[in-house]
Amino acid sequence: MSRTPWSLSYLIPAERFGPVSPLVFGSFAENLHRCVYGGVYDPDSPMADASGFRTDVIAAARATGVTNVCFPGGCYAAYHHWKDGIGPTSERPSTRYRADGAWPAANDFGTDEFMTWGGEVGAEPYLCVNMGTGTPEEARDWVEYCNGEPGSRWADERVRNRHPEPYGVRYWALGNEISGEWEMGYTATPRSTSGAPATSPRR
C-alpha cells in the first residue's frame, strides 16, 4: 500500500500579505428545510420576537461576525419571485420549489422581512436575481423596489408596505450556480447570462 506524503501548512502571524475584504465572511439564507422557516423565521417559536424572527438565531449570526447574507440563497433562487413575498402575508401565494413541483414554500419571509432581519444581524444584504424562471423586467422592478426613491411604481409599493426609505442594496447576484447543469437557468458561458431568464426552459 502506498503512503500519502505529508502535507505541511505554515502559519506566519507576524507577516501580512494584504487586506482581507470583510465580504468574504458572508452567508446565505436558502428556503430549504429549516434554514428560513423554522430557523430564521418561526413566529410560533417561544424564541421569536414580534416580527417572527428567532432571537437565538439572530444572536448566533451576530456571534459569527457574518458581514453579508445572500437571499434567496441556493437553488431556490431560480423559483423565487420577489413580488410574491411583499404586502400582507395573508395574501401571499406559496411557491413550488424544484422542477417537479415538490416542496411547496410560503413567502411569509420576503424582501422586507429579510431586510429587517439583516439589520438586526448587522449583515449587509446581497440579493440574488431569479435567472431560472424570472425575467429581466422582474429583476429591474426588484432593484426599483429596494433602491428607488418614492415617485415610481415599485418604490411607491415599498412605501405602502411601510418602508418609506430606500434600502440601498449594493450587492446583487445574477442567479445561483448558473454554470451548473443542474440549475434552472443554466448557461454554458458567462456571455450568455444576459439572455438566460428569457430563454431558459420551464421544466
Side-chain angles (χ1 to χ4, degrees):
M1 177 183 293
S2 60
R3 300 181 61 183
T4 302
W6 288 96
S7 177
L8 299 178
S9 298
Y10 295 92
L11 179 63
I12 311 175
E15 186 170 353
R16 296 185 179 183
F17 296 93
V20 175
S21 170
L23 295 178
V24 302
F25 303 107
S27 185
F28 69 94
E30 181 172 7
N31 189 0
L32 179 64
H33 301 302
R34 292 184 58 198
C35 180
V36 173
Y37 298 100
V40 168
Y41 180 81
D42 188 2
D44 295 328
S45 170
M47 300 295 291
D49 63 14
S51 298
F53 307 145
R54 282 184 50 163
T55 56
D56 56 334
V57 174
I58 290 175
R62 287 175 179 167
T64 64
V66 62
T67 57
N68 63 94
V69 178
C70 184
F71 175 81
C75 297
Y76 179 73
Y79 301 88
H80 174 78
H81 297 281
W82 71 269
K83 295 174 186 177
D84 292 340
I86 59 173
T89 55
S90 61
E91 299 177 8
R92 300 181 190 181
S94 295
T95 299
R96 289 285 179 179
Y97 176 34
R98 291 195 336 189
D100 59 8
W103 302 344
N107 283 291
D108 293 356
F109 188 83
T111 300
D112 295 315
E113 289 77 17
F114 170 71
M115 298 299 298
T116 301
W117 179 83
E120 292 290 325
V121 170
E124 186 155 9
Y126 178 25
L127 298 183
C128 186
V129 171
N130 182 340
M131 296 291 284
T133 60
T135 66
E137 291 77 17
E138 181 180 21
R140 175 203 62 199
D141 293 345
W142 202 9
V143 173
E144 181 182 311
Y145 183 88
C146 291
N147 294 350
E149 295 288 344
S152 62
R153 177 182 178 183
W154 292 107
D156 288 348
E157 186 68 21
R158 184 194 67 242
V159 174
R160 282 190 289 272
N161 290 331
R162 298 180 295 178
H163 298 278
E165 297 299 322
Y167 288 123
V169 178
R170 298 192 299 166
Y171 301 106
W172 299 81
L174 297 179
N176 174 74
E177 299 177 348
I178 56 174
S179 60
E181 296 183 3
W182 59 86
E183 188 75 7
M184 178 76 81
Y186 161 73
T187 176
T189 61
R191 289 184 178 276
S192 64
T193 299
S194 60
T199 59
S200 60
R202 304 298 195 267
R203 293 197 287 264

